[in-house]
């Protein structure tokens, strides 16, 4: 009896050892009733966005999401489209934490798609896309977009809509009105509040106003992204401290971190240490950065507050012309001179302030006062140090943004993400590819609260890039800023192909997204 039982047990062991091993893919198929899929990305090197080393795998996409990652037996499934990724990397689509533009404009958002950005944020720098966010969302939803979009509520926009406008001492009743506007728009799907405290009307906002709004943002589980009050070398720490105070009530994010006039990586270290000290004290603070040493914004940034609205510019010129000219001369010279101001809009676009002054045969400050005036143009300002900004870019805590748009005469709107791969990964090797991809995918997704994007993982949205890193090129220049990036061969947005083997399709696969 005992011998028979032992014999039976040994036979079972032998049979078990002979049973064919079930692969992960077979287990996956057993758990799925349908064997049909929309896309198979075959034999690529997956760099999943987390910062981990790449690995070889196939990817199956069904609908708008990733269904399986691993070795796929193509004989067991039906696939509508197969993408050969052999010899290429497969990554999540990039997420641009700070972008600009009109999705219904003439150029659309092809500039973002071409540089691998499949999700962007609008409403930055305190300026909402529309005061009527609900109708804007409906309009954009109806027309579609090449990329996914999220939007912020602009602090400046709700300041104007609430009637506070340029008042530097808002009353409690005014704050409550602005707070109500903020709540309503956050409830409509905006992912947070953006501030532009160096711009009108945000520059008039006192600390108690920003703290009040930070509490509202915190109550709604959202966050604040900020173009801080002053990015100059002698003022940036104080400006960051103002934002960090708001961080006591909600997560905060430093837009396009920089130190104007600052020099060297040691200066960057000081700023990074300031943010790290705040994190150790419980403040949830993040930052993004773009890989260019010229900023781009309205020419009003050169003018003193007393020459800007609500002040009457004509009266200022009539009464304080000499004082204004002296201020502008000193301001521009401090910002590396008129040669470092490249006009990007208006009738003089493409010329430096120095060239324009020479053409008109008068001092550059007179050109600003008489020919351009506040609000008359935007410009690129070459005011940043490469070594300092590179230290920001390579720090593990920062992510990449473009701060660009399709109509902006600055190459960052067409080249920021490919330039990171081209310069920092391939040429200079300051970042590994997994490190760079993390900065452009999972880290911004976590910051924005887009938990279903930013990684190559089962269940995540299928925003996917297929490319050879050494072929990625940022072709846009300051002279020719509207040239599309090259090298991202195949792009999927929400599981649908938007670019295939180097050819763009006439489709708009993007959608509005919200903080999860």
């Amino acid at each position: 009896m005992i011998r028979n039982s032992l014999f039976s047990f040994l036979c079972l062991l032998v049979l078990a050892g002979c049973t064919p091993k079930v692969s992960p893919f077979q287990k996956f198929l057993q758990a799925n009733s349908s064997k049909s899929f929309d896309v198979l990305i075959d034999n690529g090197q997956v760099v999943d966005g987390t910062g981990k080393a790449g690995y070889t795998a196939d990817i199956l996409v069904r609908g708008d999401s990733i269904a399986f990652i691993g070795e796929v037996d193509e004989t067991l499934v039906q696939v509508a489209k197969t993408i050969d990724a052999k010899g290429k990397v497969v990554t999540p689509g990039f997420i641009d934490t700070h972008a600009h533009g009109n999705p219904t404009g003439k150029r659309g958002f092809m500039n973002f798609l071409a540089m691998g950005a499949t999700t962007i944020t609008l409403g930055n720098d305190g300026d909402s896309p529309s005061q009527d966010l609900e109708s804007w969302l409906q309009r954009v939803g109806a027309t579609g977009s090449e990329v996914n979009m999220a939007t912020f509520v602009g602090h400046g926009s709700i300041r104007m809509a609430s009637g506070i406008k340029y008042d530097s001492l808002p009353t409690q009743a005014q704050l409550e009105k602005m707070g109500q506007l903020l709540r309503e728009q956050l409830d409509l799907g905006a992912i947070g509040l953006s501030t532009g405290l160096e711009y009108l009307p945000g520059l008039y906002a006192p600390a108690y106003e920003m703290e009040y709004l930070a509490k509202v943002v915190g109550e709604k589980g959202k966050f604040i992204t900020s173009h801080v009050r002053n990015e100059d070398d002698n003022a940036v720490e104080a400006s960051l401290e103002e934002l960090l105070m708001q961080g006591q009530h909600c997560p905060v994010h430093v837009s396009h971190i920089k130190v104007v006039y600052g020099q060297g990586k040691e200066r960057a270290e000081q700023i990074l240490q300031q943010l790290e000290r705040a994190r150790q004290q419980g403040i949830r603070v993040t930052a993004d950065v773009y890989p260019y040493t010229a900023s781009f914004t309205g020419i009003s940034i050169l003018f003193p507050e007393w020459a800007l609205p609500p002040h009457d510019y004509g009266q200022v010129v009539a009464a304080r012309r000499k004082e204004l000219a002296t201020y502008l001369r000193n301001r521009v010279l401090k910002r590396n001179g008129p040669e470092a101001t490249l006009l990007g809009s208006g009738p003089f676009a493409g010329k430096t302030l120095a060239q324009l002054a020479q053409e008109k045969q008068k001092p550059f400050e007179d050109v600003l006062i008489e020919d351009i005036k506040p609000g008359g143009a935007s410009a690129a300002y070459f005011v940043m140090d490469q070594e300092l900004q590179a230290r920001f870019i390579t720090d593990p805590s920062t992510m990449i943004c473009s701060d660009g748009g399709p109509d902006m005469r600055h190459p960052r709107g067409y080249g920021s993400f490919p330039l990171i791969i081209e310069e920092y990964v391939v040429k200079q090797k300051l970042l590994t590819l997994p490190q760079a991809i993390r900065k452009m995918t999972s880290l911004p997704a976590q910051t924005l609260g887009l938990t279903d994007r930013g990684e190559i993982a089962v269940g995540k949205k299928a925003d996917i890039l297929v490319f050879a890193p050494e072929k990625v090129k940022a072709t846009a220049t300051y002279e020719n800023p509207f040239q599309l990036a090259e090298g991202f061969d195949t792009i999927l947005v929400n599981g649908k192909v938007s670019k295939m083997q180097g050819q763009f399709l006439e489709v708009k696969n993007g959608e509005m997204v919200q903080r999860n």
Side-chain angles (χ1 to χ4, degrees), residues 5-62:
S5 297
L6 181 60
F7 177 77
S8 299
F9 178 69
L10 291 173
C11 288
L12 287 172
L13 286 177
V14 171
L15 289 172
C18 295
T19 302
K21 187 177 181 180
V22 179
S23 71
F25 180 60
Q26 290 171 322
K27 290 180 180 178
F28 164 73
L29 290 180
Q30 290 170 4
N32 281 265
S33 56
S34 174
K35 306 299 185 288
S36 296
F37 299 89
D38 296 296
V39 179
L40 167 65
I41 301 175
D42 187 42
N43 201 31
Q45 183 75 3
V46 176
V47 180
D48 65 9
T50 65
K52 297 176 183 177
Y55 60 93
T56 302
D58 307 322
I59 298 174
L60 281 173
V61 175
R62 178 184 285 151

Side-chain angles (χ1 to χ4, degrees), residues 198-364:
E198 197 168 19
Y199 303 134
L200 292 169
L203 63 85
Y204 292 111
Y208 68 82
E209 174 182 327
M210 301 315 304
E211 184 176 15
Y212 178 89
L213 295 176
K215 290 178 180 178
V216 174
V217 173
E219 290 168 6
K220 290 296 181 178
K222 305 295 178 80
F223 77 114
I224 293 175
T225 184
S226 180
H227 178 133
V228 296
R229 198 171 293 275
N230 193 325
E231 298 172 324
D232 291 357
D233 191 30
N234 63 350
V236 65
E237 276 103 342
S239 298
L240 290 171
E241 281 303 319
E242 180 182 22
L243 179 61
L244 295 173
M245 289 293 290
Q246 298 161 36
Q248 296 177 4
H249 308 289
C250 65
V252 292
H253 182 80
V254 185
S255 291
H256 44 62
I257 191 168
K258 65 175 74 73
V259 183
V260 176
Y261 325 130
Q263 297 289 321
K265 65 180 181 180
E266 294 80 9
R267 187 70 180 103
E269 292 287 358
Q270 292 170 353
I271 302 302
L272 291 169
Q273 288 169 13
Q274 181 184 10
L275 299 183
E276 184 55 33
R277 286 193 299 270
R279 294 187 189 103
Q280 292 173 1
Q281 295 168 7
I283 303 296
R284 290 167 292 173
V285 58
T286 50
D288 57 35
V289 59
Y290 53 78
Y292 293 89
T293 55
S295 62
F296 189 96
T297 194
I299 205 75
S300 296
I301 200 171
L302 298 178
F303 286 77
E305 181 183 315
W306 44 266
L308 301 175
H311 306 285
D312 186 293
Y313 181 69
Q315 291 181 4
V316 169
V317 173
R320 305 173 68 175
R321 170 67 183 255
K322 185 176 181 181
E323 183 182 359
L324 179 59
T326 300
Y327 180 95
L328 289 171
R329 171 163 283 274
N330 292 337
R331 176 94 166 135
V332 171
L333 289 177
K334 188 177 181 182
R335 295 170 69 87
N336 294 332
E339 300 85 0
T341 298
L342 176 63
L343 297 167
S345 66
F348 311 118
K351 297 178 180 179
T352 67
L353 187 54
Q355 289 171 331
L356 192 56
Q358 186 175 19
E359 285 181 14
K360 293 187 173 291
Q361 297 186 337
K362 58 184 175 183
F364 66 79

